[in-house]
Amino acid sequence: MTSPADPTAHPSAAVPPWPYCGHGADSTDSPTGCPGRRVDPYSACLAHLGAGHRAVYLTSLEPGSDLDHRGTSFSEDLLNRLLDVVRDPDNRRPLLGTARFDMARFLGDADFEGAHFRNEAGFEQAVFFGIARFSATAFSGDAQFERARFRGARFREARFDGDAWFGEARFTDEARFDRARFFGYARFGLVGFVSNAAFDGARFMGNIGFQGASFGGHAWFDGARFESDSRLGPLVCTGSLDLSAVVFAAPVIVEAAAGKVWCTRTRWEAKAVLRLRYATVDLSESVLAHPLSVTAQAAPFKDRTGTDRTEDALPEGDLGGRDARVHMASLRGVDTAHLVLHDVDLTHCLLSGAVHLDQLRLEGDCLLAFPPVGVLRRGRIPMRWTTRRTLAEEQHWRAARGYDAWTAAPAGVEVLEPSTLAPLYRQLRKSFEDSKNEPDAADFYYGEMEMRRHDLKRPRAERALLTLYWAVSGYGLRASRALAWLLGAMAATVLVMMLWGLPKDVPTTGTGGRSTGQSVSQASDTTDPVDPDGPLARRVTSERFEKSVRVVINSAVFRSPTQSLTTSGVYAEMLSRLVEPALLGLAALALRGRVRR
């Protein structure tokens, strides 16, 4: 905030509702003149009193006196002289009774540090051109700072025993409320923080309201404590909303459009709801004693602070042009048994170290990372990754192994091995299975099996079996892969039958008999199949092809022999009866896994 050329001038001031000074009134530029409250019994405010009258007035004051200097302009020297005469002789701190500084103008720094306001303190619409220092100040009654204008403010370790009203106040420079104590209602509705605001270590014993508040920089609540039901927001924070190490001892609703929301080491000791826009959220090491839901707010928040009860969209400033989706950065060290995520992007979320992931609830459209698309090469080997949802940690591991197009781990993030990732996939699979979401659980089963297959700590035989299972059917989840192998196996069997399995000629059956006395006996004899001879090309005929197809289909599906075969054909049929029904079963299993409820 920059001060005008004559900060004591009030050219556009309306007629104040108290006996005012009127100094410098001009019918053209300033019809009312100075709006400062007259000092009884004089006709001028404290700023425009003569030196003698001012000395008399100051001499009449004592610690605990009531003060009424509404609309008065204070220089640093004048304010210091006023506060000096009301200092408590025991602790040398200003002691004021009812203090009215509404619409006052503090032209330099306003040093109320350590003051004690025993009754109401009124600073409504006051303007602070310098730094407003209220550190270690005690407000025993209500503190009224509504629509006040601050350049910078220091309320460190201030104590508000009554209600604290900062509605529609504006802070141009940094505002500090570190370790402040609010025992009554703390109202910060529609407050505008142009720069950073800090509430580190503050304690809120009563209700708190930040409805419609806006933070042009960062908002720090690190280590604050909320003892009563609270509603933070809806608010807008262009920078970071830092709730790290905050203790919410009572139910809370946080509604914020913010660039980042840090909740590391936060304690949620009661039910909590986070409705967010734009934010990247970090819940690392948070303690969830009760249910916590994190929801992405699709539409802009509504401003419900108006007296006409209209609900206009809350202005979002520089955030307005960004992607409004909510991204989860980390759940490390979190017991997720009480956590519910709605429409939250988990593409880059770190889950290692989280516990009870099998009880985590993912609702709505919770995105996870996908493998690279298209055909890629690793050296000379072309590779095509199957489409599935993957964890960020797997992305980091594959990128570290040299696979192209996978997301590398950010600086400072450890790349984990498959032995650590497999349990994460297993727990998430169980979470989806418990919620009867079998199709989506399949992706996490696939990820679990992939990590087991690549886990070098497992026996080589187990990894070989898993590799075979992956190759032929994608762990029983890729029907197309199993069907391709099935068709290939059937085609190979048909070819074997045409070339070597079907006999040269159809075996014939002869019948003979003999008579002995009064008895007659008959016997039948079938000739053995004869292996085909001649060039292989001559064995490939439409007739032999048709017979081979019937043999293969019967063995794979109906399992009923209808054709005499050569020795080679018998062994080929035995092998096909073992392999092809298994492949068909894997394909059916994969299809069932994708369509079942």
Side-chain angles (χ1 to χ4, degrees):
M1 180 184 299
T2 58
S3 57
D6 183 7
T8 63
H10 300 267
S12 59
V15 177
W18 53 76
Y20 62 95
C21 173
H23 178 81
D26 183 276
S27 59
T28 303
D29 298 327
S30 180
T32 59
C34 173
R37 174 70 162 84
R38 294 177 182 174
V39 176
D40 294 332
Y42 309 108
S43 60
C45 68
L46 184 60
H48 295 114
L49 274 180
H53 291 162
R54 181 184 299 163
V56 172
Y57 168 70
L58 294 177
T59 303
S60 68
L61 299 177
E62 62 182 8
S65 294
D66 295 338
L67 302 179
D68 187 353
H69 294 290
R70 289 172 286 178
T72 302
S73 295
F74 284 91
S75 64
E76 287 189 40
D77 177 69
L78 180 60
L79 178 62
N80 291 336
R81 291 174 61 187
L82 175 65
L83 296 179
D84 283 343
V85 297
V86 295
R87 292 185 182 276
D88 189 323
D90 295 330
N91 55 30
R92 298 304 301 162
R93 293 183 176 183
L95 178 62
L96 300 87
T98 299
R100 303 295 302 273
F101 291 94
D102 308 308
M103 296 182 64
R105 297 160 68 85
F106 298 92
L107 309 181
D109 292 349
D111 190 356
F112 288 90
E113 188 167 334
H116 180 193
F117 293 85
R118 294 197 301 187
N119 297 316
E120 180 182 353
F123 290 86
E124 290 188 50
Q125 300 186 61
V127 180
F128 296 85
F129 286 85
I131 304 299
R133 294 188 172 90
F134 288 89
S135 296
T137 298
F139 298 89
S140 296
D142 291 348
Q144 303 278 352
F145 288 90
E146 292 187 302
R147 297 184 299 281
R149 297 293 180 264
F150 297 87
R151 179 179 180 182
R154 305 290 183 267
F155 285 86
R156 292 188 178 96
E157 299 183 352
R159 179 187 176 102
F160 298 86
D161 292 326
D163 295 338
W165 300 85
F166 286 86
E168 299 183 61
R170 184 177 179 85
F171 298 82
T172 304
D173 289 341
E174 187 176 62
R176 310 286 312 195
F177 289 83
D178 309 272
R179 299 180 299 283
R181 301 292 185 265
F182 297 85
F183 291 88
Y185 177 38
R187 185 182 187 277
F188 288 86
L190 293 177
V191 170
F193 295 94
V194 178
S195 185
N196 300 326
F199 292 82
D200 295 344
R203 295 189 66 180
F204 300 89
M205 312 300 179
N207 294 332
I208 182 172
F210 277 87
Q211 293 87 344
S214 63
F215 298 83
H218 304 296
W220 296 302
F221 288 84
D222 196 340
R225 184 179 180 92
F226 296 82
E227 300 285 357
S228 182
D229 293 3
S230 303
R231 189 184 189 102
L232 296 180
L235 57 86
V236 175
C237 181
T238 304
S240 300
L241 176 60
D242 192 348
L243 301 176
S244 299
V246 170
V247 177
F248 292 99
V252 63
I253 297 176
V254 179
E255 295 178 312
K260 296 179 181 178
V261 177
W262 301 130
C263 299
T264 58
R265 308 182 313 282
T266 302
R267 296 182 59 88
W268 311 87
E269 297 181 351
K271 183 178 179 180
V273 176
L274 271 65
R275 300 191 188 105
L276 306 172
R277 285 172 57 79
Y278 305 103
T280 296
V281 186
D282 189 343
L283 286 175
S284 299
E285 301 180 15
S286 288
V287 178
L288 280 61
H290 289 268
L292 168 65
S293 66
V294 181
T295 303
Q297 176 83 9
F301 292 109
K302 300 295 184 180
D303 180 5
R304 302 183 179 91
T305 58
T307 56
D308 57 356
R309 298 188 181 277
T310 58
E311 295 188 357
D312 297 329
L314 195 65
E316 296 177 332
D318 294 339
L319 295 173
R322 305 182 188 178
D323 181 2
R325 289 183 299 176
V326 174
H327 300 76
M328 185 64 66
S330 176
L331 291 176
R332 286 186 165 183
V334 178
D335 185 342
T336 61
H338 295 298
L339 182 61
V340 182
L341 304 180
H342 298 262
D343 299 330
V344 175
D345 191 331
L346 301 173
T347 301
H348 302 288
C349 181
L350 301 178
L351 295 174
S352 59
V355 297
H356 290 144
L357 285 173
D358 57 324
Q359 300 179 45
L360 172 65
R361 290 175 55 190
L362 302 180
E363 300 183 355
D365 186 15
C366 291
L367 299 177
L368 284 100
F370 286 92
V373 297
V375 178
L376 303 174
R377 289 184 176 273
R378 189 186 185 195
R380 296 183 178 181
I381 303 176
M383 308 185 70
R384 182 181 180 276
W385 300 100
T386 186
T387 301
R388 62 184 175 93
R389 294 190 288 182
T390 64
L391 300 184
E393 286 90 343
E394 182 184 348
Q395 294 268 336
H396 303 163
W397 174 75
R398 292 193 181 273
R401 293 193 61 186
Y403 292 105
D404 292 337
W406 291 81
T407 303
V413 175
E414 179 185 3
V415 177
L416 304 178
E417 293 300 318
S419 58
T420 304
L421 301 183
L424 299 180
Y425 276 113
R426 186 180 306 119
Q427 292 184 67
L428 289 172
R429 170 177 61 84
K430 186 177 183 300
S431 172
F432 277 77
E433 290 175 345
D434 291 345
S435 62
K436 308 302 180 184
N437 187 353
E438 296 287 348
D440 289 338
D443 279 353
F444 297 106
Y445 173 72
Y446 194 103
E448 176 191 351
M449 300 299 283
E450 276 286 273
M451 295 300 100
R452 289 175 59 189
R453 181 168 70 93
H454 289 286
D455 183 4
L456 299 180
K457 299 178 182 178
R458 293 184 176 273
R460 182 174 300 178
E462 178 184 345
R463 290 189 284 116
L465 183 61
L466 290 173
T467 300
L468 178 63
Y469 192 22
W470 163 77
V472 298
S473 66
Y475 308 113
L477 296 174
R478 298 298 181 258
S480 59
R481 194 177 303 181
L483 289 173
W485 278 102
L486 175 61
L487 293 176
M490 294 177 70
T493 306
V494 167
L495 183 61
V496 170
M497 289 297 177
M498 290 175 62
L499 298 178
W500 300 285
L502 296 178
K504 178 179 180 181
D505 298 311
V506 178
T508 59
T509 302
T511 304
R514 65 178 180 173
S515 175
T516 305
Q518 295 182 348
S519 65
V520 178
S521 62
Q522 289 185 336
S524 61
D525 186 25
T526 303
T527 60
D528 292 333
V530 179
D531 291 340
D533 54 13
L536 295 179
R538 293 180 59 184
R539 304 177 193 179
V540 182
T541 64
S542 59
E543 181 182 358
R544 291 177 66 83
F545 174 76
E546 181 183 356
K547 290 180 179 180
S548 299
V549 170
R550 287 202 303 267
V551 170
V552 172
I553 293 178
N554 281 327
S555 64
V557 181
F558 303 107
R559 307 181 69 81
S560 57
T562 60
Q563 176 70 46
S564 297
L565 302 172
T566 65
T567 302
S568 299
V570 171
Y571 283 109
E573 184 186 35
M574 292 172 60
L575 182 60
S576 69
R577 287 193 177 196
L578 177 65
V579 174
E580 292 167 8
L583 292 172
L584 183 61
L586 289 174
L589 178 65
L591 289 173
R592 180 176 180 272
R594 284 301 180 185
V595 300
R596 68 182 298 186
R597 291 182 178 272

